[in-house]
Amino acid sequence: LARVEFSSEFARQQVVQALRVDLARHGITLTEITLPTHQSPEDLVAALLDSLQAIESGVVSIAGFATAFNRQTPLPDALRVLNFNRERLAAFPLTQIWWITPVLMQTAIHAMPDLNSWFSLRLQLTEAAIPPTDVPQPKASSLSATDTLANLGDARQRAHHLIQRFETARQSGADDQALLTTYLLPALEALAEVGAQQELRDLTTQFEGLLGQLKTANTPAIASSLDRLATLYAAQGRYSEAEPLYQQALAIRQTLLAADHPTVAASLNNLAELYRAQGRYDEAEPLYVRSLDISERQRGADHPDVATSLNNLAELYRTQGRYDEAEPLYLRAIAIDESVYGQDHPDVAADLNNLALLYNSQGRSSEAEPLYVRSLAIWERQLGADHPDVALSLNNLAGFYQSQGRSSEAEPLYERALAIRERQLGVDHPDVAQSLNNLAGFYQSQGRYGEAEPLYKRALAIRERQLGADHPDVALSLNNLAGLYRAQERYGEAELLYWRAIAIHEKCFGTDHPATHRVRERLVALQQDIESA
């Protein structure tokens, strides 16, 4: 798969014509597909699959994505359908070139991250832009709260529709691989995309026995499916269930493909991310290093996948306090993404944000602040002032101001981040819980305990509903609320919450995890307070 971002249709046609002539010299056929206009996403996928099925070999140029979808389905949801069907679209023995307009690109990189990562070539056709005059070009920032709630409802409807189709297909004798990749995984991912964590948890629980019964051969496709399922489990904090699936996917890919295949690098990275989330840093590091090495050899030193690997390894080093090792990796990731995407791209904003976190951890506040500010400015320009990524940036900048004692600057940013998330994600979303928790922490730091407590409690309730009672974020909320109660000398209430937090940490991470030790230390300090009192 190759992806080309273009602005000029005239330039695109010139490139296609030149490519056709050049390929013909080598006996390779170039076939052009122009997508039908104003289709439902499901009909469009079916039409594209039919078109690809009819082509035996060669290179295929696919254009028309900007006008392919109807107006009834929000664009992010339509693109997610492409993402759900990525394995079927990529399965043909063809080289595919997808032509994407810049406006569509801004939505696509967020709505179809998995498919986007599969493009082995990501190119940009640079020429004076000749924008189309007959195609409406909505801005990425035009998403309203009503749109988001509609997306949530649409995701739920799509998930249940897929489950109904799954039952029909199973009764018709469809093979297990098709059942898994066509119906079950897309249904689960539809809910994961919009953060419907409780429904996702319920649905995965409902189908766990069925997932275990599906008989699938060891193929690259099933490895991808296992990898996707593991990612869903990891997002729910169900690390012990995610780990064997990641390991199985890695084993299949290493057996069937080369040991240095790019998908092996992806598996290594995913397993390393899981280990990092669990605090298993010694196990994560060699996997990150090996993933980076494969990506550099197979993709080239300046490929975006290399930037991703550099960033992930740097995040591990930052978490461990190995700041001198992390900084050059962050800087190199930024350089790659700026060279590939330009200096005003959301991926660059994410890189800058992470480097700012590093500098803040080192006490290099004068270097951190401009990076936070630049990151926020990019996200606001590219995604709109009301986007969830903007809320993330506001939250981080607010935390920085709080650490600097600049309370009057921090508070409105925390409040704005919370308001964006409530509008765009709904009042019961885990990211809303994070904002509530952070604003409560800010109030507590100022001694405003009466304002902090209801926010901590609301954050805890959201996390318990959406993530489950044994999720690490629930333990974090319990720990923070216990700290508030301790500050108010409400020792009995605090002690119970600390014990609950310890039990969750032990279940998720084990008794020797640093997070478990930290809560135990707070409990010991509390017990000393009780004795002193």
Side-chain angles (χ1 to χ4, degrees):
L1 295 176
R3 185 196 75 196
V4 186
E5 182 179 354
F6 77 105
S7 297
S8 166
E9 175 60 21
F10 174 74
R12 188 192 74 79
Q13 292 178 5
Q14 284 188 313
V15 170
V16 170
Q17 182 58 32
L19 181 61
R20 184 191 303 279
V21 172
D22 195 46
L23 289 173
R25 296 193 187 104
H26 302 279
I28 300 171
T29 302
L30 173 67
T31 304
E32 290 190 70
I33 294 176
T34 300
L35 297 172
T37 60
H38 308 305
Q39 302 289 302
S40 71
E42 291 80 9
D43 289 344
L44 183 73
V45 167
L48 181 53
L49 289 171
D50 288 343
S51 297
L52 292 170
Q53 184 70 47
I55 302 169
E56 293 184 357
S57 62
V59 176
V60 182
S61 172
I62 307 171
F65 287 99
T67 57
F69 300 108
N70 60 28
R71 305 288 177 82
Q72 284 71 44
T73 305
L75 182 58
D77 288 347
L79 291 171
R80 289 185 186 105
V81 175
L82 287 179
N83 195 50
F84 296 153
N85 287 276
R86 57 190 174 274
E87 293 174 2
R88 300 168 70 194
L89 292 167
F92 297 94
L94 305 166
T95 298
Q96 299 178 39
I97 304 171
W98 291 33
W99 295 88
I100 310 289
T101 61
V103 171
L104 188 65
M105 180 72 71
Q106 294 302 327
T107 305
I109 58 177
H110 296 283
M112 52 183 209
D114 302 296
L115 177 58
N116 192 54
S117 70
W118 286 13
F119 290 110
S120 57
L121 286 175
R122 304 174 191 178
L123 308 175
Q124 186 175 49
L125 176 59
T126 56
E127 186 187 280
I130 308 174
T133 58
D134 57 341
V135 179
Q137 297 292 329
K139 295 181 180 179
S141 61
S142 63
L143 189 65
S144 68
T146 303
D147 293 330
T148 304
L149 294 175
N151 291 349
L152 180 61
D154 182 71
R156 289 168 171 154
Q157 184 178 6
R158 180 177 298 129
H160 292 297
H161 178 62
L162 285 165
I163 295 305
Q164 291 173 353
R165 293 174 60 191
F166 163 82
E167 295 293 351
T168 301
R170 183 168 62 160
Q171 292 172 10
S172 301
D175 67 86
D176 287 354
Q177 174 65 32
L179 292 172
L180 180 64
T181 59
T182 306
Y183 304 106
L184 287 185
L185 281 172
L188 296 170
E189 289 174 331
L191 298 172
E193 285 283 350
V194 295
Q197 286 287 343
Q198 185 57 56
E199 290 174 86
L200 177 62
R201 177 178 293 271
D202 292 344
L203 200 57
T204 49
T205 301
Q206 176 184 345
F207 283 99
E208 270 164 13
L210 186 56
L211 289 166
Q213 295 170 14
L214 292 177
K215 297 178 175 57
T216 52
N218 284 348
T219 64
I222 192 57
S224 295
S225 297
L226 292 168
D227 196 78
R228 289 161 61 186
L229 184 58
T231 299
L232 291 166
Y233 282 140
Q236 298 174 57
R238 300 165 66 179
Y239 303 134
S240 62
E241 295 162 88
E243 184 176 357
L245 299 181
Y246 276 139
Q247 291 174 334
Q248 188 180 351
L250 174 61
I252 292 172
R253 285 167 168 167
Q254 289 183 132
T255 301
L256 299 181
L257 306 170
D260 60 353
H261 193 277
T263 60
V264 172
S267 271
L268 291 165
N269 176 79
N270 291 343
L271 188 55
E273 286 281 274
L274 181 72
Y275 289 158
R276 178 162 70 95
Q278 293 176 287
R280 298 162 62 179
Y281 303 138
D282 291 342
E283 295 172 84
E285 183 175 359
L287 302 186
Y288 278 133
V289 171
R290 189 177 154 205
S291 176
L292 173 60
D293 177 64
I294 293 172
S295 293
E296 287 182 315
R297 283 188 285 108
Q298 295 298 321
R299 303 294 203 190
D302 295 325
H303 193 277
D305 285 358
V306 173
T308 300
S309 287
L310 289 165
N311 181 78
N312 290 346
L313 182 56
E315 283 286 278
L316 174 70
Y317 290 159
R318 181 176 69 85
T319 304
Q320 294 178 291
R322 298 162 62 179
Y323 301 139
D324 291 342
E325 294 172 86
E327 183 176 1
L329 302 186
Y330 281 132
L331 291 171
R332 193 178 152 205
I334 291 171
I336 293 171
D337 281 338
E338 285 185 332
S339 68
V340 172
Y341 300 122
Q343 295 189 345
D344 208 38
H345 191 276
D347 284 8
V348 174
D351 295 338
L352 294 168
N353 176 79
N354 291 343
L355 182 59
L357 290 170
L358 173 71
Y359 288 160
N360 194 32
S361 299
Q362 293 178 291
R364 297 162 63 179
S365 56
S366 62
E367 294 170 87
E369 184 173 0
L371 298 183
Y372 279 130
V373 171
R374 184 184 159 201
S375 174
L376 173 60
I378 292 172
W379 267 322
E380 285 184 317
R381 279 194 301 273
Q382 296 298 326
L383 304 177
D386 216 34
H387 192 279
D389 284 355
V390 171
L392 171 66
S393 190
L394 289 165
N395 179 77
N396 290 346
L397 183 56
F400 171 77
Y401 287 155
Q402 182 181 347
S403 70
Q404 298 295 302
R406 297 159 63 178
S407 300
S408 62
E409 295 171 85
E411 185 170 1
L413 300 188
Y414 278 133
E415 290 173 343
R416 186 181 157 204
L418 173 59
I420 291 172
R421 283 171 164 169
E422 287 183 324
R423 282 195 301 272
Q424 298 292 357
L425 304 174
V427 296
D428 213 34
H429 193 279
D431 287 357
V432 171
Q434 184 198 44
S435 276
L436 290 165
N437 177 80
N438 292 347
L439 185 56
F442 172 78
Y443 289 155
Q444 182 180 344
S445 71
Q446 294 189 303
R448 297 160 62 180
Y449 300 146
E451 295 172 85
E453 183 175 357
L455 300 189
Y456 275 140
K457 286 183 173 180
R458 186 179 155 206
L460 172 61
I462 291 171
R463 285 169 166 166
E464 287 180 323
R465 280 194 303 271
Q466 296 298 330
L467 304 175
D470 294 326
H471 194 278
D473 286 355
V474 171
L476 175 64
S477 277
L478 292 166
N479 176 75
N480 291 343
L481 184 56
L484 176 68
Y485 288 160
R486 180 186 173 195
Q488 294 176 291
E489 299 184 358
R490 298 163 61 179
Y491 298 137
E493 295 171 89
E495 185 173 14
L496 291 173
L497 298 184
Y498 278 136
W499 278 119
R500 275 189 64 195
I502 290 169
I504 294 171
H505 279 305
E506 288 181 341
K507 182 174 182 178
C508 292
F509 304 132
T511 57
D512 294 328
H513 192 274
T516 308
H517 285 302
R518 283 194 294 271
V519 183
R520 283 192 175 278
E521 289 169 359
R522 294 184 183 114
L523 177 60
V524 169
L526 172 70
Q527 291 169 338
Q528 291 172 347
D529 289 344
I530 295 173
E531 291 175 5
S532 299

